[in-house]
């Protein structure tokens, strides 16, 4: 496989041949006047752009890598000599930006809606029928395109040069990721045809083959592999260091132009042609009028999707005529002129090789099936969750069974059913153990509960380990650099027995551990030290009290100013709190009754960990009756949790936007409330802004 190497400025070793430029003297320094340099620079840029296009977009290279590299180096050297001639759209400017601290926000010129879905032929027919009805006639062309499973990006060109690349974000506000966007070779830094001002959208993705290679590299370096190409692409685009993004095999396909009238576009087909002429890769597309043919095509692609070099999760069906699109308009969520036919989840058969039990933080024993690996929706699957004993019994899953598996939600695969016809009689029934597989303590299944738990709450190594992992996790104490590998070593060396012990470690304890350099040990100790100042609600969450999630932790931290008061709280008074039910109340009380837990808390106190509301800067803002409305999906909270949170701080969550509304919090795919809020001049907050606002 061919690949061009890009040299950073300064790397000219072995550099001799320089094309048209005459070399004189020992220094190898070309004798050029600024004028001829400029001419040569322009010439080189043209040539390089042409060959980049041939190579990356058309996949039809005309010259060797070496020749290409030579031109690139010549250009780099000339630009180094004449830095005043460097332009941001020069091919040399794809790599080498400084890492950023954070991305700045970009408000999109036009809201990025999502697409409505059609999950079967009937829903495709309803979509087409609605278009017919609204249009008042049936003579309508539709364009079919692949729905590439990546992330969308908005590119802005001014006078033909790329000036900005942004992510979709919540549809209204995205992030400016220009330095990363520039590293994508299928995105021209300069348009091919006309030097126009244009804004366009497309999909950033990673091809399957590149994804496999990337994950292999990561595994070789003992880094966590990405779950799927989409996650890999999204993670890469949001890298703060463009050098890292440059090493990720990102690709781009353009699919729409904003303000098409301005470019005299009348049909979607023309949009695609324009994008292609301007140097972009475009999607496969076909034009149809007949709905039955459209359905047939969707079904064909359902069967053929795996043959494509990249992942698609459906087919987008779009009205071709742009004037008709305007007439059809959009709902608050999605345009009425397009729909995404979504492929049904893939189901495959495989064999259950074994059933393994893991023990979680609360002692729950969870059975997981080990599968003979199969390819499902683009990734290799080798485990499936079995949830609990009842589930195993209900599905009658046995070791050795042939089973049908599918992906549930985003990544976790599940067993759809056992193919009993293929049983040989050799299959083994699985029994939940009556002892913890890790510590050997008896297990208990509480009434009304489907889960079986290890009863050794004070010293089961599995519960201990998971409890510590929870304590250091991002939403809890957020102790960076202290992960599973280190915790396992610390436990094995008996340097810690519970999470409070982390605070009594010093550098000398860590250094002898495998593969830990002094600097790294120092950083870890500092991260642990810094976490002493975390807000009180995080500490409550970090303790790992059963049923106390982030939201309950916030409410408790608001109601009780310090840990001692919380520890003394009675069940009845806890239940008085809004959103704290009997289950949580019971759990809190019994947590603090446990001597072992009280001892751990004493240790935290001794270590100087913040255990009260007032000590650090976590006085949360008092909302004093301010009215909040939510729209769209939030990443960190369910709608209920977000409303509870507002309530717990004295604010008032309401469901309609009115003149009385103080804030509208807009998540992913916001609804019509957003428009409404805009009209009424209500302050709109993104999820991040909302969180920052509460601090
Ligand atoms: P959804 O997020 O399911 O509402 O679908 C909308 C998203 O599909 C867009 O934001 C794009 O990221 C993505 N997409 C992929 N391929 C296409 C395409 N050919 N046309 C429009 N959107 C596409
Ligand atoms: Zn145990």
């Amino acid at each position: 496989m061919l690949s061009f190497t890009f040299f950073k400025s300064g790397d000219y070793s072995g550099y001799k041949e320089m094309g048209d430029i005459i070399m004189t003297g020992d220094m190898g320094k070309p004798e050029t006047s600024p004028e001829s340099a400029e001419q040569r620079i322009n010439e080189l840029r043209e040539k390089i752009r042409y060959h980049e296009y041939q190579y990356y977009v058309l996949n039809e290279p005309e010259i060797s890598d070496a020749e290409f590299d030579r031109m690139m180096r010549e250009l780099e050297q000339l630009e180094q000599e004449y830095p005043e001639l460097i332009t941001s759209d020069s091919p040399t400017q794809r790599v080498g930006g400084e890492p950023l601290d954070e991305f700045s926000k970009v408000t999109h010129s036009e809201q990025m809606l999502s697409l409505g879905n059609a999950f079967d032929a009937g829903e495709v027919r309803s979509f087409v029928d609605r278009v017919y009805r609204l249009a008042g006639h049936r003579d309508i062309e539709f364009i079919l395109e692949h729905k590439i499973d990546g992330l969308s990006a908005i590119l802005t060109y001014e006078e033909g040069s790329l000036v900005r690349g942004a992510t979709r974000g919540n549809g209204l506000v995205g992030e400016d990721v220009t330095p990363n966007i520039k590293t994508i070779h299928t995105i021209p830094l300069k348009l091919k045809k006309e030097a126009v001002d244009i804004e366009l959208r497309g999909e950033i993705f990673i091809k399957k083959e590149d994804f496999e290679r990337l994950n292999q590299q990561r595994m070789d370096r003992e880094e966590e592999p990405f779950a799927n190409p989409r996650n890999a692409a999204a993670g890469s685009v949001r890298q703060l260091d463009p050098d890292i993004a440059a090493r990720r095999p990102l690709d781009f396909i353009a699919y729409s132009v904003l303000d098409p009238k301005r470019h005299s576009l009348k049909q979607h087909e023309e949009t695609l042609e324009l994008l292609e002429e301007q140097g972009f890769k475009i999607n496969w597309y076909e034009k149809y009028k007949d709905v039955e043919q459209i359905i047939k095509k969707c079904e064909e692609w359902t069967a053929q999707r795996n043959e494509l070099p990249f992942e698609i999760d459906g087919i987008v069906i779009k009205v071709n005529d742009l004037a008709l699109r305007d007439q059809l308009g959009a709902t608050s969520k999605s345009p009425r002129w397009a729909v995404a036919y979504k492929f049904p989840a893939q189901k495959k058969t495989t064999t259950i090789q074994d059933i393994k039990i893991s023990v979680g933080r609360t002692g729950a024993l969870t059975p997981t099936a080990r599968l003979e690996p199969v390819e499902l929706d683009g990734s290799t699957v080798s485990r499936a969750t079995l949830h609990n004993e009842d589930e195993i019994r209900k599905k009658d899953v046995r070791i050795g069974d042939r089973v049908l598996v599918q992906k549930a939600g985003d990544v976790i695969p599940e067993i759809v059913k056992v193919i009993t016809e293929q049983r040989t009689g050799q299959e083994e029934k699985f029994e939940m153990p009556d002892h913890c597989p890790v510590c050997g303590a008896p297990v208990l299944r509480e009434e009304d509960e489907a889960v079986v738990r290890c009863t050794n709450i004070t010293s089961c190594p599995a519960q201990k380990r998971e409890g510590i992992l929870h304590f250091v996790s991002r939403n809890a104490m957020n102790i960076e650099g202290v992960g599973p590998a280190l915790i396992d070593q610390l436990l094995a060396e008996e340097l810690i027995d519970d999470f409070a012990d982390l605070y009594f470690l010093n550098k000398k304890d860590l250094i002898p551990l495998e593969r830990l350099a002094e600097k790294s040990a120092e950083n870890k100790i500092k991260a642990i030290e810094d976490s002493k100042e975390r807000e009180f609600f995080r500490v409550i969450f970090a303790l790992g009290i059963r049923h106390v999630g982030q939201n309950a932790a916030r409410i408790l931290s608001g109601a009780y100013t310090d840990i001692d008061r919380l520890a003394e709280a009675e069940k009845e008074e806890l239940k008085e709190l809004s959103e704290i039910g009997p289950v949580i109340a019971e759990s809190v009380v019994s947590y603090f009754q446990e001597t072992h837990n009280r001892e751990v808390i004493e240790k935290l106190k001794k270590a100087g960990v913040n255990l009260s509301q007032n000590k650090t800067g976590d006085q949360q803002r008092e909302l004093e009756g301010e009215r909040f409305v939510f729209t769209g999906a939030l990443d960190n909270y369910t709608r209920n949790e977000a409303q509870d949170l507002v309530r717990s701080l004295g604010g008032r969550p309401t469901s309609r936007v009115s003149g009385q509304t103080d804030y509208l919090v807009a998540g992913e795919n916001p609804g019509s409330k957003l428009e409404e809020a805009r009209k009424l001049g209500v302050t709109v907050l993104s999820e991040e802004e909302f969180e920052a606002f509460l601090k």
Side-chain angles (χ1 to χ4, degrees), residues 359 436 438-441 454 456 460-463:
V359 182
C436 169
V438 180
C439 73
C454 161
N456 179 8
C460 172
Q463 294 190 47

Side-chain angles (χ1 to χ4, degrees), residues 447-464:
E447 264 179 73
D448 309 330
E449 270 210 87
V451 286
V452 171
R453 289 177 205 275
C454 161
T455 48
N456 179 8
I457 49 173
T458 51
S459 55
C460 172
Q463 294 190 47
K464 224 184 252 176

Side-chain angles (χ1 to χ4, degrees), residues 115-118 123-124 127 315-318 335 337-341:
L115 292 169
N117 292 323
E123 293 184 7
V124 172
F127 161 75
I315 298 290
V316 190
I317 307 165
K318 301 175 174 175
W337 48 261
V339 77
Y341 170 82

Side-chain angles (χ1 to χ4, degrees), residues 395-456:
K395 291 183 175 159
D396 187 22
V397 175
R398 304 181 192 177
I399 300 168
D401 266 339
R402 290 290 289 169
V403 290
L404 199 60
V405 288
Q406 73 174 17
K407 278 196 195 167
D410 213 13
V411 277
I412 319 152
E414 64 178 17
I415 289 168
V416 185
K417 64 165 190 170
V418 175
I419 306 168
T420 42
E421 306 83 71
Q422 290 190 25
R423 280 209 170 131
T424 60
Q426 300 295 303
E427 296 76 14
E428 273 172 65
K429 278 204 171 179
F430 176 78
E431 288 295 331
M432 271 312 255
D434 51 12
H435 285 84
C436 169
V438 180
C439 73
V443 298
L444 185 77
R445 180 167 171 175
E446 271 166 47
E447 264 179 73
D448 309 330
E449 270 210 87
V451 286
V452 171
R453 289 177 205 275
C454 161
T455 48
N456 179 8

Side-chain angles (χ1 to χ4, degrees), residues 297-310:
K297 204 70 203 172
C298 289
E299 283 164 357
E300 269 173 40
W301 276 118
T302 305
Q304 287 167 9
R305 57 190 290 204
N306 289 330
E307 291 160 26
L308 291 168
F310 45 81

